[in-house]
Amino acid sequence: MVQSMTGFAAQSGATAGVSWTVEIRGVNAKGLDIRVRAPERMTGFDQTLKARLQKSLTRGNINVSVRTEQEGGTHAVQINEETLDGFLQALTKTEAQAKKAGVELRPVSATDLMGLRGVIGTGDESAAIPPEADVLRTADAALADFIEMRTREGAALKTVLEDSLSGVEDLVSQSANIAEARKDTVAETLKANLATVMSNTDGADPDRVAQELALLAVKADVTEEIDRLRAHVAAARALLSEGGAMGRKLDFLMQEFNREANTLCSKSGSTELTRVGLDLKALIDQMREQVQNVE
């Protein structure tokens, strides 16, 4: 089964006068990066939820948001009197110490106090803490939906990649046909090149002459590149059939596809084969973009 790294899911729950929502968003990434944002009062919950998600996900940049809200409440700004009293006491002591030391402090405004962390909040920050087990069940439901969406996206990606592989296979076959059709022309060109080399071998190192002759023969033959491209197509199809985390392997295969296509173009020796090689490179680039989203 092919899975995409892109997805979104949200689930909500409520109990004992407090409600909550868990949202999970994912985009592509080289590895697995999970970030959980939960209310500060739910101490340690972000790490618990992160560990839970790591068991089910392999790759992707995953952002999880947990929001709580007091049922029947409003989103009006609320003052955390306990936190404010603590800051005011600390401020009084600070001013006393500064005065004793002869240091003059600027006046503190209400705006300064409101900007201090935890002094004010909305219903989300001030809501009662929901039972962790209940929120985790909601998170599990959101995760199941998230994985289902990534699976649907993955199925679409698989179809696109399989179609692209068929296109690559067709272009490789065209390359093979062109190479076969131009054998006589290549043979004549090779003979002419060999004659040029042999006519300038007086006093030349025999080993170097042999190397040059071998190089001319290699440059004219694209059989190896065509065979490798066909092998890469077979390997990619096998990966898509096996399922599991395959994104990195497919990405490596795309690099190999591109390398063989580049060599094919450099050794083409004909406008027609070069055209097919360029079409092949364009299709491989399209596949590589799609592969970036595969888990």
Side-chain angles (χ1 to χ4, degrees):
M1 181 185 299
V2 179
Q3 282 200 331
S4 167
M5 285 188 279
T6 303
F8 170 78
Q11 286 283 344
S12 300
T15 186
V18 61
S19 61
W20 59 88
T21 299
V22 179
E23 292 184 353
I24 305 177
R25 302 174 186 270
V27 295
N28 61 311
K30 290 184 177 180
L32 179 62
D33 182 15
I34 300 176
R35 300 181 183 182
V36 179
R37 182 180 180 274
E40 292 183 11
R41 298 178 68 189
M42 297 179 67
T43 307
F45 181 76
D46 55 342
Q47 294 302 316
T48 300
L49 185 53
K50 182 177 180 179
R52 209 175 185 92
L53 266 64
Q54 286 174 332
K55 296 178 180 179
S56 301
L57 305 174
T58 305
R59 290 181 68 198
N61 190 331
I62 314 297
N63 285 286
V64 185
S65 173
V66 180
R67 299 192 306 275
T68 62
E69 183 178 348
Q70 197 78 34
E71 287 193 342
T74 67
H75 290 287
V77 172
Q78 301 176 8
I79 298 176
N80 188 326
E81 296 185 4
E82 183 178 346
T83 302
L84 178 59
D85 286 343
F87 278 123
L88 289 173
Q89 291 177 21
L91 177 61
T92 300
K93 292 181 180 180
T94 301
E95 289 177 335
Q97 290 290 338
K99 185 176 182 180
K100 185 177 180 180
V103 176
E104 184 176 351
L105 301 178
R106 71 172 180 83
V108 177
S109 67
T111 302
D112 294 331
L113 292 173
M114 291 173 65
L116 296 173
R117 187 179 182 88
V119 172
I120 63 172
T122 61
D124 182 70
E125 288 82 7
S126 59
I129 301 176
E132 181 175 300
D134 290 347
V135 181
L136 284 175
R137 277 193 289 271
T138 302
D140 286 343
L143 177 59
D145 289 347
F146 179 70
I147 292 174
E148 182 181 351
M149 182 176 181
R150 296 201 341 162
T151 300
R152 290 197 303 269
E153 293 278 345
L157 277 174
K158 182 181 179 181
T159 300
V160 171
L161 289 172
E162 286 177 336
D163 289 345
S164 296
L165 287 171
S166 295
V168 169
E169 197 169 40
D170 181 60
L171 289 171
V172 171
S173 294
Q174 291 182 42
S175 300
N177 292 335
I178 294 170
E180 180 66 25
R182 71 187 187 111
K183 272 189 174 181
D184 292 341
T185 302
V186 170
E188 292 299 323
T189 302
L190 183 58
K191 288 178 181 179
N193 290 332
L194 288 174
T196 300
V197 172
M198 296 305 295
S199 66
N200 293 279
T201 57
D202 292 340
D205 182 357
D207 291 337
R208 180 56 185 270
V209 172
Q211 290 175 6
E212 292 295 330
L213 294 176
L215 185 59
L216 287 173
V218 169
K219 285 184 176 181
D221 186 12
V222 294
T223 303
E224 187 175 353
E225 286 69 34
I226 290 172
D227 288 344
R228 285 179 178 172
L229 284 166
R230 284 172 170 160
H232 296 335
V233 169
R237 282 180 171 157
L239 281 173
L240 291 173
S241 298
E242 290 173 5
M246 66 186 75
R248 287 192 178 91
K249 293 179 181 179
L250 283 173
D251 189 44
F252 174 75
L253 264 180
M254 293 306 108
Q255 296 177 41
E256 296 301 307
F257 268 116
N258 196 53
R259 180 178 292 109
E260 299 303 330
N262 283 334
T263 306
L264 182 66
C265 287
S266 67
K267 295 171 64 173
S268 66
S270 74
T271 303
E272 191 177 8
L273 190 53
T274 298
R275 177 189 59 78
V276 175
L278 292 175
D279 288 344
L280 188 59
K281 281 175 58 63
L283 187 52
I284 291 169
D285 284 342
Q286 292 174 15
M287 279 200 302
R288 191 169 186 178
E289 289 179 6
Q290 297 296 330
V291 164
Q292 301 308 308
N293 288 323
V294 178
E295 185 179 31

